[in-house]
Amino acid sequence: MSDDLTTPAAPTTPPADKPVSQPKAPAVKRSRLRKWTRRAFIGAGAVTGGGLALGVGGIVFSPNRLKYVPEGTEGEGHLTTWIKITPDNRTTVLIPHCEMGQGALTGLGMLLVEELDADWSLCTVEQAPAEDIYANGYVIHAFLGEVGIGVPGFMERAFDFGSFKMAQFAGLQITGGSTSTRGTGVFGMRLAGATARGMLLEAGAEQLGVPMSELTARDSRIIHEASGQSATYGELVGRASALDLPSRPRLKEREEYRLVGTSQDRADIPGKVVGEAQYGMDVVRPDMLYAAIVRAPVPGGQLEHVDPAPAEAMAGVRRVVQLDDAVAVVADGYWQAQQALNALGPKFTDAGLGDVDTAGIRARHAAALDGEPLGEPPAEGRAVTAEYCVPYLSHATMEPMCATARLADGQLEVWAGTQDPLSTRGVAAGVVNLDKDDVHIYNQQLGGGFGRRLPGTYDYVEQAVEVAKVTAPRPVKLVWSREEDMRHGYYRPFVMGRFQGVVDDQGHARRWASRFTGGMADALEADPPYGIEDKDIQAVTAPVHLRTGSWRSVAASQHGFFSESFIDEMAHAAGSDPFEFRRGLLEEEPRHKAVLERAAEMARWGTAVPEGRARGIAIVESFGSIVAHVAEVGIENGTIRVYRVDSAVDCGLVVNPQQAETQIQGGVNFGLSAALFHEITVRGGAVENRNFPDFNMVRLAQAPRVNVSFVDSGGPVGGLGEPGVPPVAPAVANALFVLTGQRLRDMPLRLG
Amino acid sequence: MPPIELPVANLTIVSCVRRNVGVACGGSASFHETRNLGEAGDMIDFTLNGSSVSLDVPADMPLLWALRETAGLTGTKFGCGIGACGACTVHLDGAAVRSCSTPVGNVAGRTVTTIEGLASGGALHPVQQAWIDHQVPQCGYCQSGMIMAISALLERRPGTTDDQLAASITNICRCGTYERIRGAVASLTVAADAEEETGDV
Ligand code: FES
Ligand code: FES
């Protein structure tokens, strides 16, 4: 077999030195971008009916803007604009981000409306059409240059590829914390809101005949306290739309916030309780056909042979489609298609990888680490060494992968749920060799993403387009079975780590050394926040067999488990309480320390636990937020049971507290499913897991009570969708050590 | 109302869901277009969200796909296809069943309610309302099934405790909304308890 297990299909990472203005953008827009002025990226003007439209975007008011306006709304001018205020005093905010259930739309809308000082009950928040997202990355770039805000480190890479990172963060995180909130929100939405408020204040001054300095804006009104006069935004928009833009709108200080920081209902929820929300899976087009598909089970495998006859003989079947590495059956319904597919016996090659299995993968990772030994520990003190390992994990979104495509009259239309419609368009265009302008993406709600619907992972879209070539001009909806979804993920990588720690006679940590398989890009996550002088952390390249991608919380999920378990081992070696030991090492990190203390206090660390239970603690920083969990764990009938998790969170600013809370709670259950159950295993080169029974999930019976508390540090805005995940597994493993004396160093956690 | 014939291959049939959230569709689905394209096979007759329907589908087709693709009711979701996740839960004669594992032939002559038909008389079902009040859904994909499973349970056992809930409801929510689900259910059982005490049931 081949020595190189790397599959060619892994998501690509664009080169870091790529310029911001991507050559992929159509020429006309590129020239706009080069000539950017403030006026070009913040534009304002009147709309039909006398309202104000304020736009923030690279292509606002560009000559071809109308091209991006949805049919029938040309005169409203709201396409690339983010705020529209109409004379009836209603405000509409358009958000160029996907909603995946993290409340990003509501959170971003709140940030804008806060600065606008509009009445939230008069505001509607909508998702911008797919084309709008196009401008995302550029927008942020412009803001930074314009208002002189420094580029935060985590966003630097975002500039390399337009909206990629933006969509990734938007997707994986949430309201109040995601990059959608951290990027678009902090630097974009707020500025847009403040700009509009400035214009309304100026219009108010003109209309009421008083100096602007005497006016205040509140609840969609401009108020002159001294005289008791006021005017609604609706009454002022006509005048405001004729004004020049304020040169430097004032952003509010946090102390001035009235809306941000209050719990608000999410606009997408009512549709989700009546079955009305439309996901990619629910798309119905006139004349649509359905397709089921099976791909070569071994990565890189090709279709060798298939006899289509058994399928073609079945009722409702239209066509058997042979792709390079897959077979699809097109039928009048998905069930017929899947039944017919099951009747086929396609032969696939195994790309020379047919003898790869989980044990072999593990051995290869171990061998890679053998090549980078940890070195001898210093003679003094007590050395602790350990080897940790985590398996491949599937995202297993609740909605299996699915896409609908129609190729007709030189135009390609795609309906799918993706975390970034922009790059989806490029992918789809590539399959049919069309200009991107002839490709239209209609983004649908996502039945979960967690990183599976990010750029580089749009194989389901590519397949749907391939099949649509055959069914053209009829549209076709390609639905993956759960089994197909489980076998063809972009998995959280298999990672192994070796650790060496030294504690001295006084119980102080003196050394922290680690070698882990992966890349140095993960070094940040692999470096714990503890103040240990002698740190030696190195990544070691190891073969990758399956396709890998970003899995909710990315590298922090494995490194959080490693580091927070190993520091626990060091604490026990030092004879210290694991909480006190950590706290002692966080003197230089006051935010971490405060979060750790809050979690301990919530869980009443140090007090007695019910018979047969124990507590474990862990703290991990990821995506700009610091989260500490204390898990209370027991064993029932030989099974690990987590009763409660007390969770302290410092995410800087909490935009929508009720959403922030539920994201952390969701993250705990997500992390617990991985801790207790998840393991993608490989045999004969292929993924063995098929469906939920062998990739089990936490359900109500296993879901712990989760208490969440936010620590207000005033720090920069951090994420919320992901940071709840990493500390779960180590907190549980640390509790199990106290309970059983067993140190579980492999995930999922299995009692010996 | 006469039985309505629904074809297999044609899809623009049922419009039950109304645009206005808060007023979900009531007891009767309005089928605004019917065409029968295929050969008339054996028709499966049953009551769907209060209306008689007659579907031209193979009897062994799972109810899930008959609902989603033939009747056009996409609120019922596909998650696993093997009865393991509960995303496809509907009511069959008032009891929760997993429609991916229920052949449509088995529902002949019986009553099926989907998420689109759960609300009645222009008012949301109390479970739907509680889901909004407690802001339960995240991505929402599991929630149709979750709501159907829990509404059937509460119908049977209005005073369901946390432990009974955990023992009875095995639906998967990948987003992990369980804490909110527990809170929402508790608010309903407390309300039910209070009604029992005042003899108001
Ligand atoms: S789709 Fe029916 S139980 Fe999962
Ligand atoms: S809300 Fe997403 S799976 Fe339950």
Side-chain angles (χ1 to χ4, degrees), chain A residues 398 447-448 450, chain B residues 136-143 172-177:
Chain A
M398 207 66 219
F450 316 122
Chain B
V136 172
Q138 287 185 24
C139 84
Y141 194 80
C142 72
Q143 300 293 348
I172 294 171
C173 173
R174 183 58 164 143
C175 297
T177 60

Side-chain angles (χ1 to χ4, degrees), chain A residues 95-99 104-105 108 127-128 133 136 166-167 170 179-180 184:
Chain A
I95 313 281
H97 276 288
C98 313
E99 180 55 75
L105 292 194
L108 288 168
Q127 182 173 335
I133 291 180
N136 238 358
M166 301 309 300
T179 296
S180 56
T184 312

Side-chain angles (χ1 to χ4, degrees), chain A residues 294-647:
Chain A
V294 64
R295 189 193 308 171
V298 180
Q302 299 287 301
L303 177 64
E304 220 168 31
H305 172 259
V306 65
D307 171 13
E312 283 169 354
M314 292 170 74
V317 172
R318 301 276 175 159
R319 196 77 176 255
V320 174
V321 181
Q322 303 190 23
L323 304 178
D324 289 347
D325 61 350
V327 186
V329 173
V330 178
D332 292 337
Y334 165 69
W335 183 72
Q336 289 94 328
Q338 187 67 49
Q339 295 293 108
L341 186 65
N342 295 348
L344 298 177
K347 294 262 174 304
F348 296 102
T349 67
D350 65 8
L353 302 173
D355 58 353
V356 177
D357 60 11
T358 303
I361 292 169
R362 191 177 179 119
R364 281 162 175 270
H365 279 254
L369 292 181
D370 287 345
E372 260 332 305
L374 282 161
E376 284 303 306
E380 297 116 64
R382 200 155 158 209
V384 194
T385 57
E387 180 180 284
Y388 283 82
C389 195
V390 295
Y392 287 111
L393 297 184
S394 166
H395 299 85
T397 57
M398 207 66 219
E399 176 192 30
M401 297 305 110
C402 175
T404 303
R406 175 171 187 261
L407 186 62
D409 310 321
Q411 303 282 305
L412 174 67
E413 296 175 288
V414 175
W415 296 260
T418 84
Q419 288 175 240
D420 181 10
L422 164 62
S423 65
T424 308
R425 184 160 75 155
V427 166
V431 176
V432 284
N433 248 328
L434 280 177
D435 193 283
K436 274 192 272 187
D437 282 346
D438 296 323
V439 177
H440 312 277
I441 306 292
Y442 306 100
N443 208 26
Q444 310 296 311
Q445 299 220 37
L446 282 68
F450 316 122
R452 177 59 182 89
R453 302 178 207 265
L454 280 173
T457 69
Y458 295 143
D459 51 349
Y460 55 106
V461 173
E462 289 174 314
Q463 289 180 341
V465 176
E466 289 284 3
V467 178
K469 283 195 215 166
V470 178
T471 63
R474 293 183 73 174
V476 62
K477 174 154 77 180
L478 175 75
V479 175
W480 281 21
S481 64
R482 171 61 61 191
E483 290 78 7
E484 192 68 4
D485 191 276
M486 199 65 84
R487 276 179 292 186
H488 296 290
Y490 286 85
Y491 304 95
R492 198 275 303 270
F494 185 103
V495 184
M496 187 181 275
R498 288 182 183 159
F499 294 81
Q500 181 193 79
V502 175
V503 287
D504 66 18
D505 295 343
Q506 286 78 48
H508 296 124
R510 288 294 172 218
R511 178 175 157 80
W512 176 283
S514 70
R515 302 287 180 270
F516 59 90
T517 51
M520 274 320 270
D522 300 344
L524 190 67
E525 284 82 5
D527 182 8
Y530 304 113
I532 302 172
E533 228 159 73
D534 178 15
K535 274 187 185 171
D536 170 15
I537 297 166
Q538 278 180 47
V540 179
T541 310
V544 177
H545 177 61
L546 301 178
R547 305 186 303 187
T548 59
S550 299
W551 187 91
R552 189 174 184 177
S553 81
V554 202
S557 75
Q558 58 265 23
H559 288 290
F561 171 61
F562 295 167
S563 297
E564 281 302 293
S565 296
F566 190 67
I567 196 77
D568 221 69
E569 294 202 48
M570 289 174 70
H572 287 285
S576 299
D577 173 85
F579 160 65
E580 297 292 354
F581 188 75
R582 285 176 174 81
R583 183 163 68 166
L585 294 169
L586 291 172
E587 283 308 328
E588 306 289 308
E589 302 288 349
R591 288 181 65 192
H592 289 78
K593 192 171 164 209
V595 170
L596 188 78
E597 286 169 349
R598 174 75 64 87
E601 181 189 317
M602 292 166 73
R604 294 194 285 153
W605 185 267
T607 63
V609 274
E611 177 75 24
R613 300 187 187 182
R615 293 191 189 101
I617 193 166
I619 180 168
V620 180
E621 175 182 354
S622 61
F623 294 86
S625 295
I626 303 160
V627 177
H629 294 324
V630 176
E632 188 177 301
V633 180
I635 295 168
E636 285 179 11
N637 307 319
T639 306
I640 301 165
R641 180 74 209 277
V642 180
Y643 297 97
R644 63 182 260 177
V645 172
D646 288 288
S647 184

